Amino acid sequence: MKGPVYVYYQLDNFYQNHRRYVKSRSDKQLLDGNATDTSACKPEQYLSGDLAIVPCGLIAWSLFNDTYNISADGQQVTINKKGISWKSDREHKFGNVRPQYFPNNLPRDLNGSLIGGASLDPNTTLNEDEDLIVWMRTAALPTFRKLYGKIEQDLAAGSTLSITINNVYNTYSFGGKKKLVLSTTSWLGGKNDFLGVAYITVGSLCVFLALLFFLVHWRYPRRLGDTKYLSWNQHASAN
C-alpha cells in the first residue's frame, strides 16, 4: 500500500442523523465561544445547573475515543493526525475557543452525567482539535467511516501489521459495531462500493426500460394522427 495510507474507524448502527442529535450543538459557540442561546444543546448545556459547557451538545459529548497503535514487522508506525479535517471547517466553523466545564474531562462524581466519549485537552483550541472537527461533521447514514489519521509511509506487501486497540468507546449498549479500516486513494478518490453498485443498478435499470419501451413500440406502434387537422394547416387550406 503506497503512502499515504488512510486509517479510518467505522461505526455501524450509530444514527448521527437523528434529528435531536444533529441539532444538539451551537455553531456560534464553536466559532467564538460567546453564544447566548445554547438551548439546542440540551441535555449537555450546563454543568451543575449554571456552568456553560464548551463545546456543548450531544455530538461533542459523544466524541469517539478509541485509539490505535500500529506496528509493521515490529517497527512502530506513526499515524499523522494533522490535516485530517476539512480546511473550511477549521477556518470558518471552529474558532480559537478552549473547552470549559466539559463533562468528559471530569470524574464521574463531578460531571453530573455519564461520560459520553473522549475528553478534550483544555489547552487545545477547538480549531486545532481535528478529531473533534471530524466527528462534528455528522454522517447521513447509520454506517459510516471517519478519518482517524494518515500513515505517510508505504506498507510493503507481505508485511505483518500488529494493531493495539484501546477499546473504550461503548457501542454495546445500542448494538453497534466498530471496525478499523486501512485504505488508499487514487485520482478517482477512495474506494466506495456504494457508488459502483448504485451506478451499475441505475444503468441496468435504464437499459432494461429502454428495451422494454422499444419492444412495446415495435409491437404496438402508436398511430400517427392526420396532420391536416392541425390548426395552422386548416388556416392555410382556408386561404
Side-chain angles (χ1 to χ4, degrees):
M1 302 177 75
K2 298 292 184 181
V5 179
Y6 295 92
V7 182
Y8 296 91
Y9 58 88
Q10 178 175 317
L11 292 176
D12 296 348
N13 201 37
F14 191 112
Y15 287 82
Q16 273 198 320
N17 58 355
H18 191 284
R19 180 175 177 271
R20 185 179 182 188
Y21 185 89
V22 169
K23 294 182 64 176
S24 187
R25 61 187 293 165
S26 172
D27 290 324
K28 181 172 176 55
Q29 185 198 67
L30 294 172
L31 186 60
D32 58 30
N34 297 318
T36 56
D37 182 13
T38 58
S39 58
C41 291
K42 293 179 180 178
E44 300 300 326
Q45 181 183 12
Y46 294 108
L47 188 67
S48 300
D50 57 352
L51 301 176
I53 298 173
V54 181
C56 67
L58 291 171
I59 306 177
W61 173 76
S62 60
L63 174 62
F64 187 80
N65 61 341
D66 280 7
T67 57
Y68 309 112
N69 288 310
I70 301 177
S71 61
D73 294 329
Q75 298 296 320
Q76 185 70 29
V77 174
T78 301
I79 302 177
N80 181 14
K81 299 181 74 67
K82 292 293 184 181
I84 61 175
S85 61
W86 289 21
K87 183 179 179 182
S88 58
D89 287 352
R90 296 194 300 269
E91 295 181 351
H92 303 295
K93 292 188 176 182
F94 294 80
N96 189 29
V97 180
R98 298 185 186 277
Q100 296 180 9
Y101 307 113
F102 194 62
N104 297 344
N105 288 10
L106 304 175
R108 289 183 182 272
D109 57 340
L110 297 177
N111 64 17
S113 64
L114 295 175
I115 294 177
S119 59
L120 298 179
D121 185 354
N123 298 316
T124 301
T125 58
L126 299 185
N127 59 358
E128 295 176 340
D129 193 337
E130 297 202 47
D131 286 324
L132 175 66
I133 297 174
V134 170
W135 179 258
M136 294 290 287
R137 180 167 283 277
T138 52
L141 299 174
T143 296
F144 58 86
R145 294 177 183 176
K146 290 185 181 289
L147 187 59
Y148 178 82
K150 296 180 291 184
I151 299 174
E152 304 290 354
Q153 68 188 63
D154 296 343
L155 298 179
S159 299
T160 300
L161 297 182
S162 299
I163 302 174
T164 303
I165 301 175
N166 184 24
N167 180 26
V168 292
Y169 197 73
N170 182 13
T171 58
Y172 310 108
S173 60
F174 56 87
K177 294 180 180 179
K178 296 183 288 188
K179 298 176 183 178
L180 174 65
V181 180
L182 303 181
S183 180
T184 57
T185 60
S186 66
W187 64 274
L188 288 174
K191 182 180 179 181
N192 191 326
D193 293 335
F194 172 78
L195 286 178
V197 172
Y199 290 157
I200 292 174
T201 301
V202 174
S204 301
L205 181 62
C206 291
V207 171
F208 171 76
L209 291 176
L211 291 174
L212 178 63
F213 291 147
F214 171 77
L215 292 174
V216 170
H217 178 71
W218 175 74
R219 183 66 178 84
Y220 306 103
R222 181 181 178 183
R223 184 177 179 182
L224 297 178
D226 193 340
T227 58
K228 71 179 182 180
Y229 293 107
L230 296 173
S231 59
W232 54 84
N233 287 337
Q234 290 179 353
H235 180 71
S237 61
N239 293 335

